[in-house]
Amino acid sequence: MNIEINEPKITIETALEHGISSDEWEKIKIHLGRTPNFTELGIFSAMWNEHCSYKSSKIHLKRFPTKSDRVLQGPGENAGVIDLGDNIGVAFKMESHNHPSYIEPFQGAATGVGGILRDIFTMGARPIVLLDSLHFGDINHEKTKFLSSSVVSGISSYGNCIGVPTIGGETKFHSSYNGNILVNVMCAGLLPCDKIFRGNASGLGNPIIYVGAKTGRDGIHGASMASSGFEDSTTEQRPTVQVGDPFKEKLLLEACLELMNSDAIIGIQDMGAAGLTSSSVEMASRSGTGILLELDGVPCREIGMNPYEMMLSESQERMLLVAKKGKEKVVHDIFKKWDLETQIIGQVTDDQRLKIIFDNQEVTNLPIDFLTDEAPIYNREMSKTKVLEPADPIDKLDENESAEKSLLALLSHPNHGDKKPIWEQYDHMVQTNTVIKPGEDASVTRIKGSKKALAFTVDSNARYCKLNPYNGALYTIIESARNLSCKGAEPIALTNCLNFGNPENPEIMREFSNVVDGMSKACRELEIPVVSGNVSLYNETHGNDIYPTPVIGMVGLIENHLLTVPQGFRNLDDKIFLLSPKDEIPLPNNTPHELAWIKTGYEGGVPPISNISSARSVNTVCREAVINKVINSSHDLGEGGLAVALAESSISSSSSSLGSIIRLPKSCTGRIDSILFGETCSRIIVSLDSKNVSKLHKIAEENEVLTTEIGIVGEKYTIYSDGNSPLIDFEIEKIAHVWENSLKGFF
């Protein structure tokens, strides 16, 4: 072919442009004993950036608990895997696609879905559900409507086309994300426990096979771009955003799963961030082997692509396989059946090096361990933990403001209103396994061929984490576990996406470290391992960092899919009880953070602090009450407190005429807005038939949990304190109308 490889002269300036620091540059030259060429510099840029190397976060992530009796695969692979019993495993993971989604929201979000799907079926699992966590700027910001509607369209387009239901998630709006939105996507899939595939490259001489779509110039430097903040116009960065093809991905999914039943492959790896570079290097690193790539064989859809472009392209719907020698035809025939490319582009070696040949020239010769195990690890400077001012947001609120006005303000806000305009764009019923649809504490999907079901929830609370990173993170874990317990599910494991600003800022690293500590504390005490996840740093624009936003994706197991309950009330005259820790007042005079922010914009004070053991006990009672058919509905008390939880249970009831008639206990003292809208960590409202009250009391007593009767299911939404004059008195249609129109015309 004799293509001349015209590479620029490599200088320190070139390295800096690739995100390589001056210290890293010197380290590379000393280790190699020479200056790297342009292709090699690109490889270092990809493997040593934050997105791939976790160089600022790795030392902190080691503090997570990652093991349990159910864990089959923890962090370090494409996804974590949990044993559900009966040789059924669930693989799941969450990833971010924040920067691409801000630059090109439709494709950024769509390819985020495509990428997380590949992480799952690369493990040998058939994807069964998708969830997402979306954080947009202030609802009135000039870019918010365009970004949010385009992101949702991108998610729905890709997920609907490939036939995987999006069954849950969260969508929040806050000015912290005006210049840097967050798009986190979670996927889970099922597989036999004895057929887990991993990204290995073992067996001297085994062929390395490229499969899937052709390579183009889209997505080059995508991983590097995700490891830096935004400065000026994003238009020039659009070529770094990948372009997805969900129909090609569907073919790739089916071809890979068929191949995995053929005994023809040793390992498989998605060409995701950093494309061919990361997939080949990571496979070799896991196996302690080397890789020889011959790039002349790489299928390209653009003319004249050079090694640098081929190695760094992040074109979608591609996989790298290591096949068993002599099984090449099996691979080829299966992928030909699905009308997909296959090409042998190299082989496994035993020299622990990455060697690349192009046009009969060796263009790369690098040690694998230097790209991976010896990549820089930074113990970044951290500021001292801040001591929060005790100022309570309640002081910003008018004590005489009517409770009715406060409730309507919360229900009409986009963060609390009806998300149906979003999730109705998603096909949440495809595969016909969805038991609890989007919009509840957690979503539930049954496992075909089994009585079992899985519950999923995605949760975050950035404002709490900004006020107190440790307690905010701890709260988020507890909330996720509570959401699953409301469905009768046992929390068994979690994935996460840790979204933060610039790690070179000591305050950001202090927030990051404290969040990890809070998460670790909660996970250990609740016995919930972290089996996969993602870190997204440099979420900033012009030096303005986002709020610390750890997103938790938690999975719960239900042994019988028939034993779950909705959050909405089901029967007129059912008793309504509040479950709460025995050592706390059922309805304490607590801070209404959400109400204060929505009404005044104030974001101060101390977030709720919980006793983890007490929270676990409340979750246990709710879970056992569901499993034993004691209760008919359950719903956690989160942001907005009791009044919002009751409203949501009324609006989502089985009949539009079912509400709640509540009389506050005499033990309630203090400001009404604190009692009705105050936020704590460990409360759940349940409804049940009067004949089951004694059963609920028994379960609660055994677990040292307080049960407080607060009312009945009625035909209106009414809350009384002392006397006969209600604090709140609404027809259900009134609050439903306000809630349902909170995002009208936005999506």
Side-chain angles (χ1 to χ4, degrees):
M1 183 164 46
N2 292 321
I3 295 176
E4 185 178 352
I5 305 173
N6 294 315
E7 294 194 336
K9 182 180 179 181
I10 307 303
T11 65
I12 178 62
E13 288 73 24
T14 317
L16 293 172
E17 290 171 358
H18 280 72
I20 301 292
S21 71
S22 56
D23 288 344
E24 292 168 352
W25 175 240
E26 291 302 318
K27 180 178 179 179
I28 291 169
K29 290 194 297 178
I30 291 171
H31 190 94
L32 297 182
R34 59 181 174 83
T35 299
N37 61 39
F38 192 57
T39 300
E40 292 174 330
L41 180 63
I43 290 170
F44 276 110
S45 173
M47 296 305 301
W48 284 16
N49 63 49
E50 291 284 357
H51 194 77
C52 294
S53 75
Y54 289 53
K55 59 188 178 185
S56 296
S57 58
K58 188 176 289 185
I59 62 170
H60 301 285
L61 301 178
K62 293 178 179 179
R63 302 200 291 272
F64 284 146
T66 60
K67 297 180 180 179
S68 78
D69 292 342
R70 291 187 180 273
V71 177
L72 300 176
Q73 176 63 58
E77 269 290 342
N78 292 291
V81 183
I82 293 293
D83 188 349
L84 303 177
D86 302 326
N87 198 35
I88 303 171
V90 58
F92 61 97
K93 187 183 183 183
M94 183 184 293
E95 280 274 6
S96 63
H97 233 219
N98 303 335
H99 286 62
S101 297
Y102 186 77
I103 296 167
E104 203 340 289
F106 182 95
Q107 288 295 348
T111 53
V113 174
I116 197 64
L117 284 165
R118 291 193 297 279
D119 282 340
I120 298 307
F121 68 77
T122 298
M123 302 297 296
R126 179 171 291 279
I128 59 167
V129 297
L130 288 162
L131 301 95
D132 52 65
S133 174
L134 310 177
H135 290 73
F136 301 114
D138 183 273
I139 197 77
N140 297 313
H141 189 267
E142 59 182 0
K143 291 185 178 180
T144 299
K145 183 174 182 177
F146 165 70
L147 290 170
S148 58
S149 60
S150 299
V151 163
V152 169
S153 294
I155 292 171
S156 65
S157 175
Y158 207 102
N160 294 354
C161 288
I162 203 168
V164 179
T166 301
I167 67 166
E170 62 173 2
T171 303
K172 297 184 177 182
F173 301 86
H174 190 277
S175 59
S176 165
Y177 311 101
N178 283 350
N180 198 125
I181 65 174
L182 302 183
V183 177
N184 296 176
V185 185
M186 177 180 174
C187 183
L190 298 176
L191 74 169
C193 292
D194 57 357
K195 289 188 177 180
I196 300 173
F197 282 81
R198 295 175 172 87
N200 297 325
S202 58
L204 180 63
N206 277 335
I208 296 170
I209 305 178
Y210 174 119
V211 302
K214 292 183 178 180
T215 294
R217 291 187 170 96
D218 55 315
I220 294 174
H221 292 305
S224 299
M225 177 266 297
S227 302
S228 61
F230 292 128
E231 293 300 330
D232 296 304
S233 174
T234 60
T235 303
E236 62 191 43
Q237 294 178 294
R238 284 179 179 162
T240 64
V241 180
Q242 310 92 331
V243 178
D245 181 348
F247 301 105
K248 181 113 17 193
E249 178 115 333
K250 174 64 173 175
L251 298 176
L252 184 64
L253 184 159
E254 299 298 343
C256 286
L257 293 181
E258 182 176 339
L259 179 65
M260 290 168 175
N261 288 320
S262 70
D263 192 37
I265 61 171
I266 300 292
I268 180 170
Q269 181 79 14
D270 164 39
M271 287 193 232
L276 188 53
T277 291
S278 63
S279 57
S280 58
V281 171
E282 289 172 2
M283 292 179 83
S285 177
R286 293 189 188 108
S287 304
T289 58
I291 293 279
L292 173 65
L293 296 178
E294 300 180 62
L295 298 188
D296 296 292
V298 171
C300 295
R301 66 169 185 261
E302 298 186 51
I303 297 173
M305 291 190 68
N306 59 41
Y308 179 97
E309 295 169 324
M310 293 181 199
M311 292 301 295
L312 297 181
S313 168
E314 295 181 9
S315 294
Q316 298 289 283
E317 295 87 39
R318 304 179 299 158
M319 292 283 193
L320 200 65
L321 312 177
V322 176
K324 295 179 179 179
K325 198 182 297 183
K327 296 285 188 176
E328 297 89 343
K329 189 174 185 303
V330 175
V331 176
H332 175 76
D333 288 349
I334 289 174
F335 278 82
K336 184 179 180 181
K337 167 187 170 183
W338 292 99
D339 196 27
L340 292 169
E341 296 268 357
T342 62
Q343 184 66 49
I344 298 172
I345 63 167
Q347 61 181 294
V348 178
T349 63
D350 60 359
D351 59 5
Q352 292 82 50
R353 299 187 75 84
L354 173 66
K355 294 180 179 178
I356 299 173
I357 306 296
F358 181 72
D359 194 27
N360 297 317
Q361 302 175 56
E362 184 177 89
V363 296
T364 293
N365 190 331
L366 298 172
I368 295 289
D369 59 358
F370 189 54
L371 292 168
T372 54
D373 299 339
E374 297 178 38
I377 297 177
Y378 295 119
N379 188 2
R380 302 248 189 218
E381 179 185 354
M382 293 187 287
S383 64
K384 293 183 179 179
T385 299
K386 287 185 176 180
V387 178
L388 294 175
E389 295 294 326
D392 196 320
I394 192 70
D395 298 333
K396 304 292 182 178
L397 292 170
D398 181 1
E399 187 174 2
N400 297 314
E401 178 86 321
S402 78
E404 290 186 335
K405 286 185 178 180
S406 294
L407 177 64
L408 294 178
L410 284 161
L411 295 181
S412 63
H413 193 275
N415 283 4
H416 297 280
D418 189 7
K419 302 302 189 301
K420 191 178 292 184
I422 297 173
W423 59 257
E424 277 195 334
Q425 297 184 48
Y426 308 146
D427 190 343
H428 54 276
M429 294 303 296
V430 67
Q431 300 187 14
T432 66
N433 294 319
T434 305
V435 177
I436 300 290
K437 65 184 183 181
E440 302 217 3
D441 295 318
S443 301
V444 178
T445 186
R446 67 188 179 100
I447 300 175
K448 279 184 179 176
S450 168
K451 287 185 177 181
K452 301 178 189 287
L454 289 169
F456 299 91
T457 184
V458 171
D459 299 288
S460 65
N461 197 312
R463 196 163 64 255
Y464 283 3
C465 289
K466 185 64 178 178
L467 293 173
N468 187 311
Y470 181 92
N471 287 331
L474 190 147
Y475 176 95
T476 307
I477 298 288
I478 292 173
E479 181 186 21
S480 291
R482 187 168 68 249
N483 284 334
L484 295 178
S485 298
C486 283
K487 299 304 168 197
E490 175 194 1
I492 55 176
L494 67 84
T495 184
N496 60 72
C497 202
L498 307 181
N499 307 276
F500 287 78
N502 189 337
E504 298 166 47
N505 180 338
E507 184 170 337
I508 300 300
M509 283 312 302
R510 186 263 309 170
E511 291 175 345
F512 186 91
S513 180
N514 288 0
V515 160
V516 170
D517 285 340
M519 289 174 60
S520 299
K521 170 76 170 176
C523 287
R524 284 195 174 87
E525 293 202 21
L526 295 174
E527 299 180 90
I528 304 173
V530 179
V531 298
S532 61
N534 171 243
V535 176
S536 176
L537 301 177
Y538 291 98
N539 290 289
E540 59 167 351
T541 300
H542 295 299
N544 296 317
D545 298 290
I546 65 165
Y547 277 13
T549 313
V551 178
I552 308 303
M554 196 174 290
V555 180
L557 176 62
I558 300 172
E559 291 293 346
N560 185 340
H561 72 267
L562 297 175
L563 301 178
T564 187
V565 297
Q567 71 178 30
F569 299 131
R570 298 173 74 180
N571 303 304
L572 193 66
D573 295 327
D574 271 1
K575 301 284 188 181
I576 300 174
F577 275 78
L578 180 67
L579 308 180
S580 60
K582 201 167 186 178
D583 55 356
E584 296 180 9
I585 300 171
L587 287 169
N589 191 24
N590 234 54
T591 297
H593 286 270
E594 197 74 9
L595 179 63
W597 172 60
I598 288 172
K599 296 283 288 188
T600 72
Y602 181 70
E603 298 180 280
V606 181
I609 302 173
S610 178
N611 180 296
I612 301 175
S613 176
S614 297
R616 186 174 188 175
S617 296
V618 172
N619 292 349
T620 299
V621 170
C622 186
R623 189 162 59 248
E624 291 187 9
V626 173
I627 294 170
N628 290 287
K629 301 182 180 180
V630 173
I631 59 177
N632 295 324
S633 73
S634 62
H635 187 27
D636 87 303
L637 273 66
E639 295 96 326
L642 175 69
V644 168
L646 289 168
E648 291 171 341
S649 294
S650 300
I651 295 166
S652 57
S653 66
S654 58
S655 167
S656 60
S657 62
L658 292 183
S660 55
I661 301 174
I662 305 297
R663 290 193 178 275
L664 299 178
K666 292 182 179 180
S667 60
C668 295
T669 59
R671 289 179 57 156
I672 289 296
D673 50 3
S674 286
I675 295 168
L676 292 180
F677 306 105
E679 296 159 22
T680 61
C681 288
S682 310
R683 297 181 294 166
I684 298 172
I685 54 170
V686 300
S687 67
L688 66 161
D689 192 290
S690 57
K691 67 182 181 184
N692 288 331
V693 169
S694 61
K695 295 178 183 177
L696 179 65
H697 286 321
K698 185 175 185 297
I699 297 171
E701 287 171 5
E702 290 173 349
N703 291 277
E704 298 186 335
V705 167
L706 189 64
T707 57
T708 306
E709 185 174 351
I710 59 173
I712 62 171
V713 177
E715 295 181 340
K716 294 181 68 179
Y717 179 96
T718 308
I719 299 179
Y720 294 93
S721 184
D722 296 330
N724 296 318
S725 297
L727 299 169
I728 298 176
D729 189 26
F730 283 127
E731 300 292 337
I732 302 301
E733 291 79 6
K734 168 72 172 180
I735 59 173
H737 177 77
V738 171
W739 181 76
E740 290 168 354
N741 284 278
S742 62
L743 286 171
K744 186 177 181 181
F746 212 75
F747 290 94

